[in-house]
Structure formats: structure tokens, C-alpha cells
Amino acid sequence: DESSGYESESAGGDRSAVAAGGTRGRQRRTRTAFTSEQVCRLEKTFQRQKYLGGSERRKLAASLHLSEVQIKTWFQNRRMKLKRQI
């Protein structure tokens, strides 16, 4: 029975890994790589309006083949980028 030293053999070992910043349960979503066409369309939309309503977000998400959450997050990040530039 060999042990790498990285895995705890006690029952409480999992909690210490989570407390130390390890991920358990829900995995982090991978970073979305937007295509240049998607970014161009997002930027054009952002120039017209800084905030999207629900129906606008749904339409844009469908036309760009992205989720509404991805659109919402992109707009949040873009507004923060604009705020930093100003």
C-alpha cells in the first residue's frame, strides 16, 4: 500500500482540501473563447446600449449561439472595462 502523501487517509481529509481552496463538487466552467464575429457583434451592441433587457439578451444569445449567462457576463465585464478606462 503506497501513498503519495497528497491524499489524506483520514475521513476528515476532504474538508481540509476545500478549506485550503481546493474545488469539490461543482467544477468551474471553462473560459469561453469568443469568435471574432461574436466579439464584433457584442461590441457593436454595446456601443448602442450598455445594458440589455431580458428579451434583447435572449435574441442576441440565440443569434450568436451563446447562452444568456455568457452574454450577461460579457456585458458586465465590458462595463467594468469601460469604467477602468475612464
Side-chain angles (χ1 to χ4, degrees):
D1 188 7
E2 294 180 16
S3 176
S4 65
Y6 290 107
E7 298 172 9
S8 174
E9 294 172 1
S10 67
D14 290 342
R15 275 180 258 138
S16 63
V18 172
T23 58
R24 180 182 164 101
R26 221 169 69 184
Q27 290 291 324
R28 232 180 132 161
R29 189 178 168 91
T30 58
R31 184 180 174 122
T32 303
F34 295 104
T35 66
S36 56
E37 292 84 14
Q38 288 171 329
V39 173
C40 184
R41 179 85 180 278
L42 287 163
E43 285 290 348
K44 283 180 184 177
T45 306
F46 184 78
Q47 293 305 316
R48 280 187 273 117
Q49 54 189 131
K50 307 297 185 241
Y51 293 86
L52 291 181
S55 63
E56 296 157 326
R57 189 172 54 238
R58 277 189 289 280
K59 288 177 190 173
L60 187 58
S63 67
L64 295 177
H65 305 290
L66 296 169
S67 72
E68 288 184 54
V69 174
Q70 289 171 312
I71 300 293
K72 180 180 144 191
T73 303
W74 188 92
F75 268 79
Q76 286 175 337
N77 290 339
R78 187 60 181 85
R79 286 190 299 267
M80 289 309 295
K81 180 179 178 180
L82 179 63
K83 187 176 177 182
R84 282 192 307 273
Q85 289 172 340
I86 296 171

